[in-house]
mmCIF file of all heavy atoms in Angstrom:
data_model
loop_
_atom_site.group_PDB
_atom_site.id
_atom_site.type_symbol
_atom_site.label_atom_id
_atom_site.label_comp_id
_atom_site.label_asym_id
_atom_site.label_seq_id
_atom_site.Cartn_x
_atom_site.Cartn_y
_atom_site.Cartn_z
ATOM 1 N N LEU A 19 -0.090 -3.795 11.219
ATOM 2 C CA LEU A 19 1.239 -4.132 10.712
ATOM 3 C C LEU A 19 1.798 -3.069 9.766
ATOM 4 O O LEU A 19 2.986 -2.730 9.832
ATOM 5 C CB LEU A 19 1.193 -5.485 9.988
ATOM 6 C CG LEU A 19 0.893 -6.719 10.848
ATOM 7 C CD1 LEU A 19 0.731 -7.951 9.969
ATOM 8 C CD2 LEU A 19 1.986 -6.932 11.868
ATOM 9 N N ALA A 20 0.946 -2.526 8.874
ATOM 10 C CA ALA A 20 1.432 -1.585 7.866
ATOM 11 C C ALA A 20 2.016 -0.315 8.493
ATOM 12 O O ALA A 20 3.135 0.091 8.120
ATOM 13 C CB ALA A 20 0.310 -1.246 6.884
ATOM 14 N N PRO A 21 1.345 0.363 9.442
ATOM 15 C CA PRO A 21 1.953 1.545 10.051
ATOM 16 C C PRO A 21 3.227 1.238 10.841
ATOM 17 O O PRO A 21 4.137 2.063 10.910
ATOM 18 C CB PRO A 21 0.851 2.081 10.975
ATOM 19 C CG PRO A 21 -0.415 1.544 10.434
ATOM 20 C CD PRO A 21 -0.055 0.195 9.882
ATOM 21 N N MET A 22 3.282 0.036 11.431
ATOM 22 C CA MET A 22 4.506 -0.338 12.150
ATOM 23 C C MET A 22 5.687 -0.445 11.191
ATOM 24 O O MET A 22 6.798 0.013 11.486
ATOM 25 C CB MET A 22 4.285 -1.657 12.882
ATOM 26 C CG MET A 22 3.314 -1.561 14.059
ATOM 27 S SD MET A 22 2.912 -3.173 14.785
ATOM 28 C CE MET A 22 4.515 -3.702 15.360
ATOM 29 N N GLY A 23 5.440 -1.043 10.013
ATOM 30 C CA GLY A 23 6.500 -1.114 9.007
ATOM 31 C C GLY A 23 6.898 0.265 8.514
ATOM 32 O O GLY A 23 8.090 0.552 8.325
ATOM 33 N N ASP A 24 5.915 1.146 8.313
ATOM 34 C CA ASP A 24 6.211 2.516 7.882
ATOM 35 C C ASP A 24 7.005 3.267 8.944
ATOM 36 O O ASP A 24 7.903 4.060 8.625
ATOM 37 C CB ASP A 24 4.911 3.265 7.579
ATOM 38 C CG ASP A 24 4.225 2.752 6.318
ATOM 39 O OD1 ASP A 24 4.915 2.133 5.485
ATOM 40 O OD2 ASP A 24 3.009 2.975 6.167
ATOM 41 N N ALA A 25 6.673 3.032 10.214
ATOM 42 C CA ALA A 25 7.408 3.705 11.296
ATOM 43 C C ALA A 25 8.873 3.261 11.303
ATOM 44 O O ALA A 25 9.783 4.096 11.494
ATOM 45 C CB ALA A 25 6.750 3.393 12.641
ATOM 46 N N LEU A 26 9.121 1.970 11.071
ATOM 47 C CA LEU A 26 10.501 1.493 10.999
ATOM 48 C C LEU A 26 11.228 2.118 9.808
ATOM 49 O O LEU A 26 12.411 2.488 9.912
ATOM 50 C CB LEU A 26 10.523 -0.034 10.884
ATOM 51 C CG LEU A 26 10.176 -0.817 12.145
ATOM 52 C CD1 LEU A 26 10.148 -2.317 11.848
ATOM 53 C CD2 LEU A 26 11.172 -0.520 13.260
ATOM 54 N N ALA A 27 10.525 2.239 8.677
ATOM 55 C CA ALA A 27 11.140 2.870 7.503
ATOM 56 C C ALA A 27 11.497 4.319 7.794
ATOM 57 O O ALA A 27 12.542 4.819 7.352
ATOM 58 C CB ALA A 27 10.193 2.784 6.307
ATOM 59 N N LYS A 28 10.646 5.003 8.532
ATOM 60 C CA LYS A 28 10.925 6.396 8.886
ATOM 61 C C LYS A 28 12.150 6.484 9.815
ATOM 62 O O LYS A 28 13.000 7.363 9.657
ATOM 63 C CB LYS A 28 9.698 7.002 9.572
ATOM 64 C CG LYS A 28 9.821 8.493 9.899
ATOM 65 C CD LYS A 28 8.502 9.025 10.441
ATOM 66 C CE LYS A 28 8.616 10.482 10.839
ATOM 67 N NZ LYS A 28 8.860 11.377 9.689
ATOM 68 N N LEU A 29 12.238 5.558 10.759
ATOM 69 C CA LEU A 29 13.392 5.544 11.659
ATOM 70 C C LEU A 29 14.692 5.249 10.907
ATOM 71 O O LEU A 29 15.720 5.898 11.132
ATOM 72 C CB LEU A 29 13.182 4.485 12.751
ATOM 73 C CG LEU A 29 12.190 4.820 13.872
ATOM 74 C CD1 LEU A 29 11.918 3.572 14.712
ATOM 75 C CD2 LEU A 29 12.728 5.945 14.747
ATOM 76 N N LEU A 30 14.640 4.275 9.995
ATOM 77 C CA LEU A 30 15.854 3.865 9.287
ATOM 78 C C LEU A 30 16.213 4.809 8.149
ATOM 79 O O LEU A 30 17.350 4.797 7.672
ATOM 80 C CB LEU A 30 15.672 2.451 8.730
ATOM 81 C CG LEU A 30 15.652 1.327 9.773
ATOM 82 C CD1 LEU A 30 15.306 -0.001 9.120
ATOM 83 C CD2 LEU A 30 17.002 1.230 10.480
ATOM 84 N N GLY A 31 15.233 5.614 7.693
ATOM 85 C CA GLY A 31 15.492 6.518 6.577
ATOM 86 C C GLY A 31 16.591 7.520 6.843
ATOM 87 O O GLY A 31 17.167 8.089 5.906
ATOM 88 N N GLU A 32 16.897 7.744 8.102
ATOM 89 C CA GLU A 32 17.948 8.698 8.456
ATOM 90 C C GLU A 32 19.349 8.115 8.262
ATOM 91 O O GLU A 32 20.313 8.873 8.132
ATOM 92 C CB GLU A 32 17.767 9.150 9.907
ATOM 93 C CG GLU A 32 16.423 9.820 10.184
ATOM 94 C CD GLU A 32 16.247 10.148 11.650
ATOM 95 O OE1 GLU A 32 17.168 9.834 12.434
ATOM 96 O OE2 GLU A 32 15.199 10.715 12.021
ATOM 97 N N SER A 33 19.471 6.785 8.276
ATOM 98 C CA SER A 33 20.803 6.174 8.215
ATOM 99 C C SER A 33 20.984 5.175 7.087
ATOM 100 O O SER A 33 22.118 4.870 6.697
ATOM 101 C CB SER A 33 21.109 5.465 9.546
ATOM 102 O OG SER A 33 20.127 4.487 9.832
ATOM 103 N N ILE A 34 19.885 4.643 6.527
ATOM 104 C CA ILE A 34 19.963 3.633 5.468
ATOM 105 C C ILE A 34 19.412 4.231 4.171
ATOM 106 O O ILE A 34 18.280 4.723 4.148
ATOM 107 C CB ILE A 34 19.159 2.368 5.831
ATOM 108 C CG1 ILE A 34 19.626 1.797 7.175
ATOM 109 C CG2 ILE A 34 19.302 1.324 4.731
ATOM 110 C CD1 ILE A 34 21.055 1.316 7.189
ATOM 111 N N PRO A 35 20.177 4.202 3.077
ATOM 112 C CA PRO A 35 19.685 4.747 1.801
ATOM 113 C C PRO A 35 18.419 4.045 1.325
ATOM 114 O O PRO A 35 18.178 2.866 1.629
ATOM 115 C CB PRO A 35 20.859 4.497 0.840
ATOM 116 C CG PRO A 35 22.057 4.390 1.713
ATOM 117 C CD PRO A 35 21.572 3.738 2.973
ATOM 118 N N LEU A 36 17.617 4.768 0.554
ATOM 119 C CA LEU A 36 16.334 4.259 0.087
ATOM 120 C C LEU A 36 16.481 2.956 -0.695
ATOM 121 O O LEU A 36 15.723 2.006 -0.494
ATOM 122 C CB LEU A 36 15.641 5.314 -0.785
ATOM 123 C CG LEU A 36 14.335 4.895 -1.450
ATOM 124 C CD1 LEU A 36 13.277 4.561 -0.403
ATOM 125 C CD2 LEU A 36 13.834 5.986 -2.395
ATOM 126 N N GLY A 37 17.436 2.904 -1.628
ATOM 127 C CA GLY A 37 17.617 1.702 -2.438
ATOM 128 C C GLY A 37 17.885 0.477 -1.591
ATOM 129 O O GLY A 37 17.365 -0.612 -1.860
ATOM 130 N N GLN A 38 18.684 0.638 -0.547
ATOM 131 C CA GLN A 38 19.001 -0.486 0.333
ATOM 132 C C GLN A 38 17.775 -0.904 1.143
ATOM 133 O O GLN A 38 17.558 -2.101 1.381
ATOM 134 C CB GLN A 38 20.150 -0.099 1.267
ATOM 135 C CG GLN A 38 20.768 -1.264 2.014
ATOM 136 C CD GLN A 38 22.073 -0.878 2.682
ATOM 137 O OE1 GLN A 38 22.669 0.153 2.390
ATOM 138 N NE2 GLN A 38 22.538 -1.708 3.598
ATOM 139 N N LEU A 39 16.956 0.056 1.570
ATOM 140 C CA LEU A 39 15.719 -0.268 2.276
ATOM 141 C C LEU A 39 14.784 -1.101 1.388
ATOM 142 O O LEU A 39 14.209 -2.095 1.819
ATOM 143 C CB LEU A 39 15.001 1.014 2.706
ATOM 144 C CG LEU A 39 15.506 1.730 3.959
ATOM 145 C CD1 LEU A 39 14.693 3.005 4.191
ATOM 146 C CD2 LEU A 39 15.422 0.830 5.179
ATOM 147 N N LEU A 40 14.648 -0.669 0.136
ATOM 148 C CA LEU A 40 13.771 -1.376 -0.789
ATOM 149 C C LEU A 40 14.304 -2.766 -1.106
ATOM 150 O O LEU A 40 13.534 -3.741 -1.164
ATOM 151 C CB LEU A 40 13.606 -0.570 -2.076
ATOM 152 C CG LEU A 40 12.847 0.749 -1.962
ATOM 153 C CD1 LEU A 40 12.912 1.525 -3.264
ATOM 154 C CD2 LEU A 40 11.393 0.494 -1.576
ATOM 155 N N LEU A 41 15.601 -2.870 -1.324
ATOM 156 C CA LEU A 41 16.201 -4.171 -1.624
ATOM 157 C C LEU A 41 15.995 -5.133 -0.460
ATOM 158 O O LEU A 41 15.669 -6.314 -0.661
ATOM 159 C CB LEU A 41 17.695 -4.001 -1.923
ATOM 160 C CG LEU A 41 18.460 -5.256 -2.360
ATOM 161 C CD1 LEU A 41 17.851 -5.853 -3.616
ATOM 162 C CD2 LEU A 41 19.931 -4.921 -2.584
#
Side-chain angles (χ1 to χ4, degrees):
L19 294 174
M22 291 173 62
D24 290 339
L26 287 176
K28 184 174 177 66
L29 285 170
L30 289 173
E32 301 175 359
S33 58
I34 304 296
L36 175 63
Q38 193 168 345
L39 280 178
L40 292 173
L41 184 59

